[in-house]
Amino acid sequence: MITVNNLVKVFGHLEVLRGISCHIEAKEVVVIIGPSGSGKSTFLRCLNQLEKATSGEIIIDGINVTDPRTDINAVRQEVGMVFQRFNLFPHMTALQNVALAPMKVRKQPRREAEKLAMDLLERVGLQDKIHQYPEKLSGGQQQRVAIARSLAMRPKVMLFDEPTSALDPEMVGEVLEVIKSLAKEGMTMVVVSHEMGFAREVGDRVIFMDEGLIVEEGDPEQLYTNPRHQRTRLFLSKIL
Amino acid sequence: MDFRFEVIMRYLPLLLQGMKLTFQLTITAVAIGTIIGLFVSLCRIASFKPAAWMAKGYVDFFRGTPLLVQIFLIHYGFPQLFGMNAFPAYLSGIIALSLNSGAYIAEIFRAGIQSIHRGQMEAARSLGMNYAQAMFYIILPQAFKRCIPPLGNEFIAMLKDSSLVSVIALQELMMSGRIMQGRSYRPFETWVTVAMLYLVMTLTISQFVSYLERVFGKDDHGE
Ligand SMILES: Nc1ncnc2c1ncn2[C@@H]1O[C@H](COP(=O)(O)OP(=O)(O)OP(=O)(O)O)[C@@H](O)[C@H]1O
Ligand SMILES: [Mg+2]
């Protein structure tokens, strides 16, 4: 589903990604961990071209997204993204947040888009909040709206950038539950997250990044309990 | 004390006539200026550099030179350069005031747009919206709310600055005041009344702007 070849990203003089290569299968759930500044967010943002790669190649569902001739808006419809800070549209209700892109991008009729939005909001457990504005929702609820908003485009891949790290601890669970249910339905997902329980339960693979490189990857059990690299061990000892 | 109320009453119709023109000029200039300002502000933040440079040149010129000079340039300067008759004073006045207020309003919109957290643009783009859709549905509605108070200030400033078009013999409120003074030889009654009439207009605008802020501002919690 996703193939990355030797991806490099440079900001000014800072080489943030220094040659990342990996392959992610359809229906696979990949969890990315690594210290702050290691380039995890930058990597995700390159996948949907919110950041332009400096060099290297990214192929998603057979489409080379790093090719300048590719219609990036079309690719982004297939690649949903959920942000650490939710980024809901504050001037719209939950329903409007979710229904907007299907209406404007997919040109669905309003009725159809709103029906879809209601179904998705119900699915993330927010059927009684559809007419609320984001400021009236808790962090966990906002993040669930954000997930529904991405799903409304019926993406083939979902990217999550630390979806629970801006949440109060008691709200982490409700958001992870939604992400887990997506995993069970076979959504292809790349999740930056340090929630180890989550990674163990639904992750097919964990990738450890440090200083712009993939240091180690493997099965969650193996990587958490018996990491091969010193740097991985050091990092895990800090977050555990 | 030498104050004659009946002088005011006699010339009030003349002043009200001028007040009407002042209000017309200002409304028209701010309306056209808003359209210019929106367009120019979008050019200023465009990634296409020549558009950004031209927009900046326009803004710098009209904010960096006196409005009086701009009025003369448009009313007398350009007709000479192109060998044509001067525009009617009304048209020159509208053009000068609109271009001037367009420059200020462009800066207001630019600041408003740039005050919206960049996560908003990213969220919109990540859903597959193109730049124009993201701007139109996500960024501008939020930015516009934040622009209401400075737009109100610009409106008031423009109302006062419109008095400068009296130099090209447009009979707005300022010019009407001069006519009244010339005919009545009563400068105090004249200018106190003119001041009051300006004040009535500016206070009305302030009221209107705070009303708009109440209506549009209530759902905005910023980002
Ligand atoms: N737009 C940018 N311009 C310049 N430098 C940037 C930019 N975005 C990120 N960086 C730098 O790139 C490096 C990697 O950032 P990135 O956000 O990808 O790290 P991260 O692994 O997601 O960290 P965190 O765990 O703190 O979110 C950091 O040093 C950051 O300062
Ligand atoms: Mg990050």
Side-chain angles (χ1 to χ4, degrees), chain B residues 10-205:
Chain B
R10 182 159 7 112
Y11 286 95
L12 196 56
L14 176 78
L15 294 185
L16 288 176
Q17 201 66 47
M19 181 173 168
K20 193 175 145 211
L21 184 59
T22 288
F23 199 68
Q24 269 177 11
L25 282 168
T26 309
I27 287 258
T28 315
V30 171
I32 300 175
T34 302
I35 296 166
I36 298 176
L38 181 59
F39 177 74
V40 171
S41 66
L42 291 174
C43 288
R44 272 213 73 174
I45 58 174
S47 48
F48 180 61
K49 288 297 159 213
W53 293 327
M54 272 165 57
K56 179 158 173 15
Y58 162 76
V59 169
D60 285 349
F61 179 81
F62 281 95
R63 296 205 320 161
T65 57
L67 177 53
L68 199 51
V69 173
Q70 297 161 17
I71 293 169
F72 282 147
L73 196 56
I74 286 164
H75 191 60
Y76 300 116
F78 283 106
Q80 171 236 301
L81 182 66
F82 297 113
M84 20 177 232
N85 294 329
F87 301 127
Y90 184 74
L91 191 59
S92 298
I94 292 277
I95 295 175
L97 294 178
S98 303
L99 288 173
N100 182 272
S101 100
Y104 284 92
I105 293 176
E107 285 301 274
I108 292 172
F109 281 146
R110 182 174 72 106
I113 290 169
Q114 288 178 337
S115 77
I116 304 300
H117 192 274
R118 80 189 174 117
Q120 292 288 309
M121 180 55 103
E122 293 181 346
R125 297 304 303 273
S126 76
L127 290 164
M129 286 185 227
N130 60 35
Y131 180 83
Q133 289 172 324
M135 223 16 157
F136 188 75
Y137 296 114
I138 307 303
I139 308 297
L140 289 179
Q142 295 181 61
F144 190 68
K145 275 182 205 171
R146 295 188 192 179
C147 289
I148 292 174
L151 281 176
N153 292 340
E154 168 58 19
F155 200 152
I156 289 171
M158 194 34 59
L159 190 108
K160 293 186 288 179
D161 287 350
S162 71
S163 60
L164 286 171
V165 299
S166 60
V167 295
I168 52 174
L170 258 182
Q171 202 178 317
E172 39 65 77
L173 182 51
M174 182 70 197
M175 188 65 181
S176 306
R178 281 201 221 160
I179 294 170
M180 172 174 165
Q181 175 180 245
R183 288 187 195 155
S184 66
Y185 301 103
R186 303 294 297 179
F188 183 80
E189 283 84 344
T190 301
W191 297 117
V192 125
T193 316
V194 168
M196 286 305 140
L197 292 177
Y198 272 113
L199 199 57
V200 165
M201 289 190 283
T202 51
L203 290 180
T204 310
I205 296 168

Side-chain angles (χ1 to χ4, degrees), chain A residues 40-42 84 161-162 192:
Chain A
K40 307 177 299 291
S41 298
T42 306
Q84 186 173 5
D161 190 1
E162 305 204 34
V192 175

